[in-house]
Amino acid sequence: MNATPPAGNDRPDQVLVLNSGSSSLKYQLIDMTGGRRLATGLIERIGERTGRVVHTPGEGGERREREERIADHRAALEAAGGELSADGLGLDSPRLAAIGHRVVHGGQSFTRPAVVDESVLAEIERLVPLAPLHNPANLQGIRTAMELRPDLPQVAVFDTAFHTTIPAAAARYAIDVETADAHRVRRYGFHGTSHAYVSRATAALLGKAPEDVDVIVLHLGNGASAAAVRGGRSVETSMGLTPLEGLVMGTRSGDIDPAVIFHLMRVGGMSADEVDELLNKKSGLLGLCGDNDMREIQRRMADGDADARLAFDIYVHRLRKYVGAYFAVLGRLDALVFTAGVGENSAEVREAVVAGLQGLGLAVDAERNAARSGAARLISPSGSRVAVAVVPTDEEMEIANQTYTLVKP
Ligand code: ADP
């Protein structure tokens, strides 16, 4: 694909954001001058017999969906390009300033986004053992984009970068130092792009500068993590070497006695891969009650289902432990913030997490909590010592912003 050089008012002011998974490609095209989403799309089941392409122009335009075989990531990106062209946009557009890529693991090497060159590619490759499923898929996305638009800057934005400020006391595990170092075992944390965006947006909601606020962010999606952010810098987070640690998630166990693993292997006769699959894919809410969607769990609870109730209670109990712990880590708190699918939508979860925490200055106003809105908002009663807020996350916008900051003319 050849790009025509910018001419006239063809100012390169758009960023294409790519989130490349092993069998999927999510994309968003964002106009950086107005912060507007020009298109959103998802290509699924790459490499399978039939793939699926879902494309939505503009913000909430009419969605187009079709099924066709998508042989590989190159075909996926070309399909995305075709969809964008149909809207008069396109991968070959001179308006594209850069492509921003979500990369899951940046280890300790990447404390900020990086314009991709050979050394950056090699470093992401070197980190593959730490994220064996994600980094190869992310690399594939970057390489494909480089093939299709070799003239454009490609920027890697790392899920771990925001957490590289976590002090050693929180980042190191209490195991033999030599062994830990030999295998790069430490807390890296994930969802960094979301925690960065949401903590900054929370400061704005409070009318303060990010440097002046201390917040706890609860990112509750299918994957879930908590972060303690002091003055705009992450000082503690719940995910660790991998996204398995911490909160109860849709299908992940979160915190567990590590000896459970040896027990399951030695006594239960399971292999390491089987335990890995159990803890990552068959645990959490799904393992506890057979559903990992909080909406379904809430429906079942309303019908008096005891398994769903217990799963909900375990989920909330873990969250409350983390809120208390992170309050102590920070020593003071300006806001407790809920984000992502569950955090933004489940008034029940928010209410249960904060219930009875008046002693910590935390409370929700029932009416504010119940009101449905897509905007960042306070749900604590007026005059509360600590704010409780709902702030919708926008990882793609954050990736686009970080990308554009690095490349803008
Ligand atoms: P991902 O981690 O896949 O990006 P999301 O942040 O989109 O996930 O969150 C997905 C989850 O959000 C769903 O599994 C569902 O449990 C939850 N969710 C979405 N809408 C609601 C709702 N109205 N009430 C409760 N939970 C919801």
Side-chain angles (χ1 to χ4, degrees):
M1 220 171 283
N2 289 319
T4 29
N9 58 1
D10 281 344
R11 224 163 63 89
D13 57 359
Q14 298 173 357
V15 171
L16 179 68
V17 176
L18 294 184
N19 182 352
S20 177
S22 55
S23 66
S24 70
L25 178 74
K26 291 188 201 146
Y27 61 91
Q28 285 197 7
L29 183 65
I30 296 177
D31 164 23
M32 301 313 297
T33 42
R36 263 183 331 124
R37 235 170 291 268
L38 301 170
T40 305
L42 164 67
I43 305 195
E44 288 179 307
R45 305 200 294 263
I46 298 171
E48 291 182 29
R49 199 135 42 120
T50 44
R52 196 162 80 105
V53 179
V54 185
H55 178 91
T56 310
E59 302 217 21
E62 194 168 332
R63 172 185 154 111
R64 303 193 292 268
E65 197 175 326
R66 65 194 155 82
E67 299 218 327
E68 68 178 40
R69 179 165 153 74
I70 306 284
D72 52 21
H73 281 75
R74 184 175 173 119
L77 192 53
E78 281 172 345
E83 292 297 330
L84 291 168
S85 298
D87 295 342
L89 301 162
L91 253 186
D92 50 356
S93 162
R95 300 286 299 271
L96 262 192
I99 302 184
H101 298 265
R102 173 181 185 227
V103 179
V104 166
H105 219 305
Q108 287 186 275
S109 326
F110 295 105
T111 56
R112 52 176 60 94
V115 177
V116 175
D117 59 15
E118 282 308 317
S119 72
V120 168
L121 286 174
E123 189 58 24
I124 298 173
E125 184 88 57
R126 201 181 68 83
L127 294 164
V128 164
L130 292 174
L133 296 179
H134 292 107
N135 272 29
N138 302 153
L139 272 172
Q140 213 161 7
I142 298 175
R143 291 208 168 100
T144 309
M146 289 172 86
E147 277 169 34
L148 293 181
R149 281 299 301 267
D151 57 314
L152 271 190
Q154 312 280 335
V155 175
V157 179
F158 300 90
D159 249 20
T160 46
F162 183 59
H163 299 303
T164 52
T165 49
I166 292 179
R172 300 219 61 140
Y173 294 107
I175 64 170
D176 168 67
V177 172
E178 264 177 50
T179 308
D181 287 348
H183 301 287
R184 294 180 279 177
V185 173
R186 59 182 283 123
R187 176 181 311 288
Y188 294 98
F190 299 88
H191 289 147
T193 313
S194 176
H195 288 298
Y197 176 87
V198 170
S199 54
R200 230 182 30 245
T202 303
L205 182 68
L206 299 178
K208 296 194 173 162
E211 305 78 64
D212 295 334
V213 295
D214 299 332
V215 301
I216 297 173
V217 181
L218 302 177
H219 175 112
L220 310 179
N222 208 5
S225 68
V229 183
R230 175 183 291 135
R233 292 158 70 88
S234 175
V235 293
E236 175 65 291
T237 194
S238 59
M239 285 177 167
L241 173 74
T242 78
L244 182 55
E245 193 180 350
L247 303 175
V248 176
M249 311 184 207
T251 66
R252 296 190 193 114
S253 63
D255 294 339
I256 198 167
D257 177 349
V260 169
I261 297 164
F262 318 131
H263 180 77
L264 291 175
M265 291 174 75
R266 292 183 188 131
V267 181
M270 293 174 78
S271 69
D273 285 347
E274 283 167 345
V275 181
D276 188 326
E277 163 130 350
L278 174 81
L279 298 183
N280 274 295
K281 305 244 172 79
K282 300 179 183 165
S283 296
L285 294 170
L286 180 71
L288 288 166
C289 75
D291 271 307
N292 60 330
D293 191 318
M294 189 54 80
R295 284 164 290 203
E296 189 53 30
I297 291 170
Q298 289 175 182
R299 262 194 292 275
R300 284 173 54 188
M301 271 164 48
D303 289 343
D305 185 316
D307 293 342
R309 174 86 243 173
L310 182 58
F312 182 90
D313 289 348
I314 294 170
Y315 183 90
V316 167
H317 177 76
R318 185 80 51 85
L319 278 165
R320 289 165 63 85
K321 281 211 297 194
Y322 270 89
V323 170
Y326 285 12
F327 205 134
V329 165
L330 289 168
R332 64 175 302 284
L333 191 63
D334 293 292
L336 171 67
V337 196
F338 291 87
T339 193
V342 177
E344 290 166 32
N345 295 297
S346 176
E348 288 88 338
V349 165
R350 295 192 299 257
E351 199 216 320
V353 168
V354 176
L357 298 184
Q358 291 88 346
L360 299 179
L362 291 165
V364 297
D365 175 272
E367 205 171 305
R368 289 182 180 175
N369 187 35
R372 298 199 64 83
S373 159
R377 59 204 185 270
L378 292 176
I379 57 168
S380 41
S382 310
S384 289
R385 189 148 46 95
V386 181
V388 181
V390 179
V391 175
T393 191
D394 196 338
E395 290 167 276
E396 289 77 15
M397 192 62 78
E398 178 70 14
I399 291 173
N401 277 325
Q402 293 195 14
T403 298
Y404 197 57
T405 303
L406 272 189
V407 306
K408 73 180 159 201

